[in-house]
Amino acid sequence: MSWALFRQAHRSPPLWLATASGFALLASPAAAQQAGEQQAAESPPRQEIAGEPDLQTPDVAPVTADAPAVAAENQIGFAADNLNYDGDSEVVVAEGSVAMNREAISMRADKVTWNRKTGQVFAEGNVAIKSPEGDTAYGDRIELTDSLRDGVVENLLVVLDNGSRLAAIKGTRFENGNIELENAAYTPCPVEDAEGCPKNPSWQIRAVRVTYDRAKNKIRYKGARVEIFGLPLIPLPGLSHPANSEAGSGILVPEIRLDRSNGFEVAVPYYLRLAADRDITITPHLYTGAAPMLEGEFRALTDIGSFRINGYATYGSLVPLTGEDPDSRKRFRGYLESAGKFQFDPRWSLSYSGRIATDRTFMRRYDISRDDRLRSTFELERIGGNAYLSIAGWATQTLRRNDEQGQQPIALPIIDYRQRLADPWLGGQFELQLNTLAIGRTAGQDTQRAFAGARWDLRGLTRLGQEVTLTALVRGDVYHSDENLLTAIPGYRGKSGWQARGIAAVAADMRWPFVGEFAGGTQTLTPRVQIVATPPIKNLDIPNEDSRAFDLEDSNLFAINRFNGYDRFEDGARITYGVEWNYSRPGFNISSVVGQSYRLSDKPSLFPDGTGLTDRTSDVVGRTTIAYRDFLRLTHRYRLDKDSFAIRRNEFDATIGSRSTYAVLGYSRLNRDILLLGEDLQDRSEARVGGRVAVARNWSVFGSAIVDLTQQSDDPLSSADGFEPIRHRLGVAYDDDCLSIALTWRRDYADTGDAKRGNSFSFRIAFRNLGF
């Protein structure tokens, strides 16, 4: 069995033994006598721990390549305090801070001895060798055989340039280039704290024997185990990984969880490297309360982009949303997704995303996602200096209980082209737009649309400092639709067959900022007034596909068309007024906006009840944001009834705290004050809370909760009592720069088909450089 140690594995094997062949270049005493001046101070001896490899860096001076360079290929340069040669015994001895180099390989030792008769070469005392890749190997003694190609290192420590460490009691290099380490340990974790004091690594791998196979460029372990906080917890039989930076095939870190729907789960990913630019991960999921499931992911990088394909498959029972007998519904169940992007040239690109599931509860049952809709899209884009073209399409699969799939739209194609004139026209910016859309449904209304439009914008400043923006736009639309009666809401249907309309609008927007000092900071008060005039528009004859679920808020208050699409355009004349206020000082900022609009004509409103724009005078909308450094951010959005000042929309979001200890709070309430709804937005109240508390160094407690506060007075069809928990979770985590551990408890309070309510537990552990 093979284990994949890392996506980005070790660098090439330590060059401490590869350097041994360099000693063969000491071909004669004459070569040895090329010693230069002494280059480094003597270092204290290294401390050892008997019987175990030491991952601490010894007190050895950094290795430098400053010994005299020698051009001859068969020679090396070195420097030493003393150099002796015994002609009778033919022994060369270099002592005292010996520094040697050959090309980019440097070595330092207290003493180097070469016996010409026996062919033995010894490097002793605080040996340190630096490879061209930046790795440094430390040892007490290097012994080379007469072949000068193999040898032994005692008390070896290798420090890789990425900070990882490999230590062994003994290391042997064989003539074929293979390397064997005895009683070895590896860790990527720091072994010193912030003050430079020694500390035990968060985790390390210990093995009886580690072998480097040069021919296969692979490192294998025998008797390996992972120690976490010094405790031998995880055995790794057959552990192996590539010896360079390339990822290698093998088993990744397993995932463990326990929940009400599936029982105890173990997922064991297997990573298969197909090539340098593509790979596959296959993950069997084994359950005690459900049939096994297989997950697969394929990733590829091409010359023009990248893509991935991910899928899940199982064969088991399905509890339908209607509660039928599951035994009669055993079937294939699964989920498939894919996404990618390709850049053909600097202007043309293609992106896509596809998602599809076999049934509405599969993703919740196996905790893949809690999305209630799956959208598949593609878009071909061309972005030029003054032109933009988009050809797109999308389809939606609903996972909601009461939605009919046949009513879900399929948009193909969606074409949008825009051209901005390079030269200003009458002092302003002129832009042309062409757009077409085709929407089809398998059991619903079909709609096609095309329009052409032009827009002109002129922005300028008056002598009094007022910012004035003038806008004019014209547009011509053509629509065709059929099967209109299949749309449930009459206001969305429009008339069947061909319809056409023209749109024209002019607008003037004036902002007048006043800036001054206030309370030790700077405040800016900006009154704003906008006037928009549009002739009567034939709106209700046109199908409404993209302008639904409207609600007045601060983001669309000053929009020329306050609908969120093209199918509806607000006509008549109106004036919108408001004020913006901003206060800032170092580390602190408050920004606020509040406004309202008034319709100048008494034409019946196009907006349904409850949107805030039903009457001539709109509701009051606003937003306030308070930020204090990186510690506090509060945002409050609201809509007030124009008559009673009752809160019709109230949203509050807050983030408080630091990176290690923080709280996230959220509250939203929509109260439209209407009995029957003709729009998609329903009255609802919800509270959200989440946070993390650091309880010790690297340890934290985290949690979150969502509570439905909707009452029957908000939604007559709801059975909620005003306080209905939806989901919460609580967990404890450990995180440092090389280890993450998390244990999480989650509880769901609603059944959705075979996704049962109840408790679930998950355990996650992630090692730096070990699996995912």
Side-chain angles (χ1 to χ4, degrees), residues 1-7 9 238-242 247-253 269-272 769-772:
M1 180 179 65
S2 172
W3 291 69
L5 243 190
F6 2 72
R7 290 284 192 180
L239 172 66
S240 66
H241 61 81
S249 302
I251 297 176
L252 305 178
V253 178
Y270 182 84
Y271 174 76
L272 180 61
N769 289 344
L770 183 61
F772 282 108

PDB file of all heavy atoms in Angstrom, residues 1-7 9 238-242 247-253 269-272 769-772:
ATOM      1  N   MET A   1       0.847  -1.195   0.000  1.00  0.00           N
ATOM      2  CA  MET A   1       0.000   0.000   0.000  1.00  0.00           C
ATOM      3  C   MET A   1       0.876   1.237   0.000  1.00  0.00           C
ATOM      4  O   MET A   1       1.897   1.285   0.647  1.00  0.00           O
ATOM      5  CB  MET A   1      -0.908   0.006   1.227  1.00  0.00           C
ATOM      6  CG  MET A   1      -1.823   1.227   1.284  1.00  0.00           C
ATOM      7  SD  MET A   1      -2.896   1.186   2.725  1.00  0.00           S
ATOM      8  CE  MET A   1      -1.681   1.333   4.026  1.00  0.00           C
ATOM      9  N   SER A   2       0.467   2.261  -0.719  1.00  0.00           N
ATOM     10  CA  SER A   2       1.232   3.503  -0.822  1.00  0.00           C
ATOM     11  C   SER A   2       0.420   4.647  -0.277  1.00  0.00           C
ATOM     12  O   SER A   2      -0.767   4.729  -0.491  1.00  0.00           O
ATOM     13  CB  SER A   2       1.592   3.762  -2.290  1.00  0.00           C
ATOM     14  OG  SER A   2       2.166   5.017  -2.430  1.00  0.00           O
ATOM     15  N   TRP A   3       1.088   5.511   0.457  1.00  0.00           N
ATOM     16  CA  TRP A   3       0.433   6.705   0.997  1.00  0.00           C
ATOM     17  C   TRP A   3       1.024   7.923   0.311  1.00  0.00           C
ATOM     18  O   TRP A   3       2.226   8.058   0.181  1.00  0.00           O
ATOM     19  CB  TRP A   3       0.664   6.826   2.509  1.00  0.00           C
ATOM     20  CG  TRP A   3      -0.044   5.788   3.304  1.00  0.00           C
ATOM     21  CD1 TRP A   3       0.210   4.465   3.363  1.00  0.00           C
ATOM     22  CD2 TRP A   3      -1.145   6.008   4.177  1.00  0.00           C
ATOM     23  NE1 TRP A   3      -0.639   3.845   4.206  1.00  0.00           N
ATOM     24  CE2 TRP A   3      -1.488   4.778   4.731  1.00  0.00           C
ATOM     25  CE3 TRP A   3      -1.871   7.155   4.560  1.00  0.00           C
ATOM     26  CZ2 TRP A   3      -2.517   4.628   5.624  1.00  0.00           C
ATOM     27  CZ3 TRP A   3      -2.890   7.008   5.458  1.00  0.00           C
ATOM     28  CH2 TRP A   3      -3.219   5.764   5.973  1.00  0.00           C
ATOM     29  N   ALA A   4       0.177   8.855  -0.123  1.00  0.00           N
ATOM     30  CA  ALA A   4       0.666  10.111  -0.708  1.00  0.00           C
ATOM     31  C   ALA A   4       0.953  11.069   0.417  1.00  0.00           C
ATOM     32  O   ALA A   4       0.061  11.497   1.114  1.00  0.00           O
ATOM     33  CB  ALA A   4      -0.381  10.707  -1.645  1.00  0.00           C
ATOM     34  N   LEU A   5       2.212  11.376   0.611  1.00  0.00           N
ATOM     35  CA  LEU A   5       2.577  12.252   1.736  1.00  0.00           C
ATOM     36  C   LEU A   5       2.090  13.666   1.515  1.00  0.00           C
ATOM     37  O   LEU A   5       1.610  14.317   2.412  1.00  0.00           O
ATOM     38  CB  LEU A   5       4.096  12.252   1.906  1.00  0.00           C
ATOM     39  CG  LEU A   5       4.638  11.712   3.212  1.00  0.00           C
ATOM     40  CD1 LEU A   5       6.104  12.007   3.331  1.00  0.00           C
ATOM     41  CD2 LEU A   5       3.895  12.243   4.408  1.00  0.00           C
ATOM     42  N   PHE A   6       2.279  14.180   0.305  1.00  0.00           N
ATOM     43  CA  PHE A   6       1.870  15.556   0.108  1.00  0.00           C
ATOM     44  C   PHE A   6       1.528  15.787  -1.339  1.00  0.00           C
ATOM     45  O   PHE A   6       1.972  15.093  -2.221  1.00  0.00           O
ATOM     46  CB  PHE A   6       2.964  16.574   0.463  1.00  0.00           C
ATOM     47  CG  PHE A   6       4.257  15.986   0.897  1.00  0.00           C
ATOM     48  CD1 PHE A   6       5.100  15.364   0.007  1.00  0.00           C
ATOM     49  CD2 PHE A   6       4.615  16.066   2.219  1.00  0.00           C
ATOM     50  CE1 PHE A   6       6.287  14.844   0.409  1.00  0.00           C
ATOM     51  CE2 PHE A   6       5.805  15.538   2.630  1.00  0.00           C
ATOM     52  CZ  PHE A   6       6.643  14.933   1.722  1.00  0.00           C
ATOM     53  N   ARG A   7       0.692  16.862  -1.533  1.00  0.00           N
ATOM     54  CA  ARG A   7       0.495  17.349  -2.895  1.00  0.00           C
ATOM     55  C   ARG A   7       1.783  17.969  -3.406  1.00  0.00           C
ATOM     56  O   ARG A   7       2.183  17.774  -4.531  1.00  0.00           O
ATOM     57  CB  ARG A   7      -0.621  18.415  -2.915  1.00  0.00           C
ATOM     58  CG  ARG A   7      -1.985  17.840  -2.664  1.00  0.00           C
ATOM     59  CD  ARG A   7      -2.487  17.142  -3.875  1.00  0.00           C
ATOM     60  NE  ARG A   7      -3.897  16.825  -3.771  1.00  0.00           N
ATOM     61  CZ  ARG A   7      -4.573  16.205  -4.713  1.00  0.00           C
ATOM     62  NH1 ARG A   7      -3.966  15.844  -5.807  1.00  0.00           N
ATOM     63  NH2 ARG A   7      -5.837  15.952  -4.560  1.00  0.00           N
ATOM     64  N   ALA A   9       5.359  17.526  -2.535  1.00  0.00           N
ATOM     65  CA  ALA A   9       6.161  16.614  -1.742  1.00  0.00           C
ATOM     66  C   ALA A   9       7.522  17.217  -1.451  1.00  0.00           C
ATOM     67  O   ALA A   9       7.805  18.367  -1.740  1.00  0.00           O
ATOM     68  CB  ALA A   9       6.320  15.295  -2.490  1.00  0.00           C
ATOM     69  N   GLY A 238       3.460   0.867   4.909  1.00  0.00           N
ATOM     70  CA  GLY A 238       3.719   1.030   3.489  1.00  0.00           C
ATOM     71  C   GLY A 238       3.785   2.454   3.018  1.00  0.00           C
ATOM     72  O   GLY A 238       3.619   2.737   1.840  1.00  0.00           O
ATOM     73  N   LEU A 239       4.047   3.398   3.907  1.00  0.00           N
ATOM     74  CA  LEU A 239       4.103   4.811   3.540  1.00  0.00           C
ATOM     75  C   LEU A 239       5.197   5.060   2.512  1.00  0.00           C
ATOM     76  O   LEU A 239       6.314   4.574   2.642  1.00  0.00           O
ATOM     77  CB  LEU A 239       4.364   5.648   4.793  1.00  0.00           C
ATOM     78  CG  LEU A 239       4.633   7.134   4.578  1.00  0.00           C
ATOM     79  CD1 LEU A 239       3.393   7.816   4.025  1.00  0.00           C
ATOM     80  CD2 LEU A 239       5.079   7.784   5.873  1.00  0.00           C
ATOM     81  N   SER A 240       4.883   5.846   1.475  1.00  0.00           N
ATOM     82  CA  SER A 240       5.871   6.222   0.467  1.00  0.00           C
ATOM     83  C   SER A 240       5.427   7.522  -0.175  1.00  0.00           C
ATOM     84  O   SER A 240       4.263   7.908  -0.112  1.00  0.00           O
ATOM     85  CB  SER A 240       6.023   5.136  -0.602  1.00  0.00           C
ATOM     86  OG  SER A 240       4.828   5.009  -1.350  1.00  0.00           O
ATOM     87  N   HIS A 241       6.387   8.212  -0.804  1.00  0.00           N
ATOM     88  CA  HIS A 241       6.077   9.453  -1.502  1.00  0.00           C
ATOM     89  C   HIS A 241       7.217   9.766  -2.455  1.00  0.00           C
ATOM     90  O   HIS A 241       8.333   9.261  -2.306  1.00  0.00           O
ATOM     91  CB  HIS A 241       5.867  10.604  -0.508  1.00  0.00           C
ATOM     92  CG  HIS A 241       7.060  10.917   0.328  1.00  0.00           C
ATOM     93  ND1 HIS A 241       8.116  11.679  -0.116  1.00  0.00           N
ATOM     94  CD2 HIS A 241       7.359  10.555   1.608  1.00  0.00           C
ATOM     95  CE1 HIS A 241       9.010  11.786   0.844  1.00  0.00           C
ATOM     96  NE2 HIS A 241       8.584  11.111   1.896  1.00  0.00           N
ATOM     97  N   PRO A 242       6.972  10.618  -3.461  1.00  0.00           N
ATOM     98  CA  PRO A 242       8.045  11.007  -4.379  1.00  0.00           C
ATOM     99  C   PRO A 242       9.124  11.792  -3.648  1.00  0.00           C
ATOM    100  O   PRO A 242       8.884  12.407  -2.615  1.00  0.00           O
ATOM    101  CB  PRO A 242       7.326  11.881  -5.420  1.00  0.00           C
ATOM    102  CG  PRO A 242       5.890  11.521  -5.304  1.00  0.00           C
ATOM    103  CD  PRO A 242       5.673  11.158  -3.875  1.00  0.00           C
ATOM    104  N   ALA A 247       3.714  15.761  -7.013  1.00  0.00           N
ATOM    105  CA  ALA A 247       2.783  14.971  -6.221  1.00  0.00           C
ATOM    106  C   ALA A 247       2.887  13.509  -6.632  1.00  0.00           C
ATOM    107  O   ALA A 247       3.234  13.182  -7.768  1.00  0.00           O
ATOM    108  CB  ALA A 247       1.358  15.482  -6.413  1.00  0.00           C
ATOM    109  N   GLY A 248       2.554  12.615  -5.708  1.00  0.00           N
ATOM    110  CA  GLY A 248       2.629  11.188  -5.974  1.00  0.00           C
ATOM    111  C   GLY A 248       1.329  10.488  -5.669  1.00  0.00           C
ATOM    112  O   GLY A 248       0.533  10.948  -4.848  1.00  0.00           O
ATOM    113  N   SER A 249       1.087   9.387  -6.342  1.00  0.00           N
ATOM    114  CA  SER A 249      -0.132   8.618  -6.115  1.00  0.00           C
ATOM    115  C   SER A 249      -0.100   7.969  -4.737  1.00  0.00           C
ATOM    116  O   SER A 249       0.960   7.601  -4.233  1.00  0.00           O
ATOM    117  CB  SER A 249      -0.289   7.545  -7.190  1.00  0.00           C
ATOM    118  OG  SER A 249      -0.317   8.126  -8.474  1.00  0.00           O
ATOM    119  N   GLY A 250      -1.278   7.833  -4.152  1.00  0.00           N
ATOM    120  CA  GLY A 250      -1.356   7.180  -2.853  1.00  0.00           C
ATOM    121  C   GLY A 250      -2.597   7.578  -2.084  1.00  0.00           C
ATOM    122  O   GLY A 250      -3.420   8.389  -2.526  1.00  0.00           O
ATOM    123  N   ILE A 251      -2.749   6.989  -0.904  1.00  0.00           N
ATOM    124  CA  ILE A 251      -3.889   7.254  -0.035  1.00  0.00           C
ATOM    125  C   ILE A 251      -3.680   8.566   0.703  1.00  0.00           C
ATOM    126  O   ILE A 251      -2.599   8.848   1.200  1.00  0.00           O
ATOM    127  CB  ILE A 251      -4.089   6.095   0.962  1.00  0.00           C
ATOM    128  CG1 ILE A 251      -4.410   4.808   0.192  1.00  0.00           C
ATOM    129  CG2 ILE A 251      -5.202   6.405   1.945  1.00  0.00           C
ATOM    130  CD1 ILE A 251      -4.526   3.593   1.069  1.00  0.00           C
ATOM    131  N   LEU A 252      -4.737   9.369   0.781  1.00  0.00           N
ATOM    132  CA  LEU A 252      -4.696  10.641   1.474  1.00  0.00           C
ATOM    133  C   LEU A 252      -5.314  10.494   2.869  1.00  0.00           C
ATOM    134  O   LEU A 252      -5.723   9.408   3.267  1.00  0.00           O
ATOM    135  CB  LEU A 252      -5.430  11.702   0.663  1.00  0.00           C
ATOM    136  CG  LEU A 252      -4.934  11.877  -0.776  1.00  0.00           C
ATOM    137  CD1 LEU A 252      -5.760  12.915  -1.505  1.00  0.00           C
ATOM    138  CD2 LEU A 252      -3.469  12.241  -0.806  1.00  0.00           C
ATOM    139  N   VAL A 253      -5.382  11.599   3.593  1.00  0.00           N
ATOM    140  CA  VAL A 253      -5.866  11.567   4.968  1.00  0.00           C
ATOM    141  C   VAL A 253      -7.343  11.189   4.986  1.00  0.00           C
ATOM    142  O   VAL A 253      -8.159  11.836   4.322  1.00  0.00           O
ATOM    143  CB  VAL A 253      -5.663  12.929   5.641  1.00  0.00           C
ATOM    144  CG1 VAL A 253      -6.212  12.915   7.055  1.00  0.00           C
ATOM    145  CG2 VAL A 253      -4.181  13.293   5.657  1.00  0.00           C
ATOM    146  N   PRO A 269      -9.705   8.771   0.708  1.00  0.00           N
ATOM    147  CA  PRO A 269      -9.374   9.214  -0.650  1.00  0.00           C
ATOM    148  C   PRO A 269      -8.102   8.540  -1.163  1.00  0.00           C
ATOM    149  O   PRO A 269      -7.141   8.353  -0.419  1.00  0.00           O
ATOM    150  CB  PRO A 269      -9.170  10.727  -0.498  1.00  0.00           C
ATOM    151  CG  PRO A 269      -9.701  11.080   0.865  1.00  0.00           C
ATOM    152  CD  PRO A 269      -9.549   9.841   1.695  1.00  0.00           C
ATOM    153  N   TYR A 270      -8.108   8.218  -2.438  1.00  0.00           N
ATOM    154  CA  TYR A 270      -6.915   7.716  -3.113  1.00  0.00           C
ATOM    155  C   TYR A 270      -6.592   8.662  -4.255  1.00  0.00           C
ATOM    156  O   TYR A 270      -7.421   8.906  -5.141  1.00  0.00           O
ATOM    157  CB  TYR A 270      -7.119   6.299  -3.657  1.00  0.00           C
ATOM    158  CG  TYR A 270      -5.863   5.749  -4.322  1.00  0.00           C
ATOM    159  CD1 TYR A 270      -4.865   5.146  -3.566  1.00  0.00           C
ATOM    160  CD2 TYR A 270      -5.680   5.855  -5.696  1.00  0.00           C
ATOM    161  CE1 TYR A 270      -3.709   4.658  -4.165  1.00  0.00           C
ATOM    162  CE2 TYR A 270      -4.533   5.368  -6.303  1.00  0.00           C
ATOM    163  CZ  TYR A 270      -3.544   4.772  -5.527  1.00  0.00           C
ATOM    164  OH  TYR A 270      -2.400   4.305  -6.131  1.00  0.00           O
ATOM    165  N   TYR A 271      -5.380   9.190  -4.230  1.00  0.00           N
ATOM    166  CA  TYR A 271      -4.946  10.161  -5.233  1.00  0.00           C
ATOM    167  C   TYR A 271      -4.111   9.448  -6.296  1.00  0.00           C
ATOM    168  O   TYR A 271      -3.145   8.758  -5.969  1.00  0.00           O
ATOM    169  CB  TYR A 271      -4.133  11.266  -4.569  1.00  0.00           C
ATOM    170  CG  TYR A 271      -3.515  12.242  -5.533  1.00  0.00           C
ATOM    171  CD1 TYR A 271      -4.288  13.212  -6.149  1.00  0.00           C
ATOM    172  CD2 TYR A 271      -2.150  12.191  -5.820  1.00  0.00           C
ATOM    173  CE1 TYR A 271      -3.718  14.118  -7.030  1.00  0.00           C
ATOM    174  CE2 TYR A 271      -1.575  13.095  -6.699  1.00  0.00           C
ATOM    175  CZ  TYR A 271      -2.371  14.057  -7.305  1.00  0.00           C
ATOM    176  OH  TYR A 271      -1.800  14.940  -8.178  1.00  0.00           O
ATOM    177  N   LEU A 272      -4.489   9.612  -7.559  1.00  0.00           N
ATOM    178  CA  LEU A 272      -3.795   8.985  -8.680  1.00  0.00           C
ATOM    179  C   LEU A 272      -3.291  10.080  -9.607  1.00  0.00           C
ATOM    180  O   LEU A 272      -4.069  10.817 -10.217  1.00  0.00           O
ATOM    181  CB  LEU A 272      -4.735   8.044  -9.440  1.00  0.00           C
ATOM    182  CG  LEU A 272      -4.137   7.324 -10.655  1.00  0.00           C
ATOM    183  CD1 LEU A 272      -2.966   6.445 -10.237  1.00  0.00           C
ATOM    184  CD2 LEU A 272      -5.205   6.506 -11.359  1.00  0.00           C
ATOM    185  N   ASN A 769       1.797  19.078   4.313  1.00  0.00           N
ATOM    186  CA  ASN A 769       2.607  18.158   3.506  1.00  0.00           C
ATOM    187  C   ASN A 769       2.216  16.699   3.678  1.00  0.00           C
ATOM    188  O   ASN A 769       2.959  15.820   3.275  1.00  0.00           O
ATOM    189  CB  ASN A 769       4.103  18.296   3.807  1.00  0.00           C
ATOM    190  CG  ASN A 769       4.663  19.593   3.286  1.00  0.00           C
ATOM    191  OD1 ASN A 769       4.038  20.236   2.463  1.00  0.00           O
ATOM    192  ND2 ASN A 769       5.818  19.975   3.765  1.00  0.00           N
ATOM    193  N   LEU A 770       1.034  16.419   4.242  1.00  0.00           N
ATOM    194  CA  LEU A 770       0.610  15.026   4.380  1.00  0.00           C
ATOM    195  C   LEU A 770      -0.814  14.930   3.884  1.00  0.00           C
ATOM    196  O   LEU A 770      -1.759  15.266   4.598  1.00  0.00           O
ATOM    197  CB  LEU A 770       0.689  14.562   5.832  1.00  0.00           C
ATOM    198  CG  LEU A 770       0.324  13.083   6.071  1.00  0.00           C
ATOM    199  CD1 LEU A 770       1.279  12.177   5.321  1.00  0.00           C
ATOM    200  CD2 LEU A 770       0.323  12.754   7.544  1.00  0.00           C
ATOM    201  N   GLY A 771      -0.999  14.476   2.633  1.00  0.00           N
ATOM    202  CA  GLY A 771      -2.332  14.370   2.081  1.00  0.00           C
ATOM    203  C   GLY A 771      -2.943  15.739   1.872  1.00  0.00           C
ATOM    204  O   GLY A 771      -2.284  16.742   1.714  1.00  0.00           O
ATOM    205  N   PHE A 772      -4.282  15.802   1.882  1.00  0.00           N
ATOM    206  CA  PHE A 772      -4.977  17.072   1.685  1.00  0.00           C
ATOM    207  C   PHE A 772      -4.821  17.917   2.933  1.00  0.00           C
ATOM    208  O   PHE A 772      -5.117  17.492   4.016  1.00  0.00           O
ATOM    209  CB  PHE A 772      -6.468  16.837   1.419  1.00  0.00           C
ATOM    210  CG  PHE A 772      -6.737  16.403   0.015  1.00  0.00           C
ATOM    211  CD1 PHE A 772      -7.112  15.113  -0.264  1.00  0.00           C
ATOM    212  CD2 PHE A 772      -6.591  17.291  -1.016  1.00  0.00           C
ATOM    213  CE1 PHE A 772      -7.361  14.719  -1.559  1.00  0.00           C
ATOM    214  CE2 PHE A 772      -6.852  16.907  -2.322  1.00  0.00           C
ATOM    215  CZ  PHE A 772      -7.220  15.616  -2.580  1.00  0.00           C
TER     216      PHE A 772
END
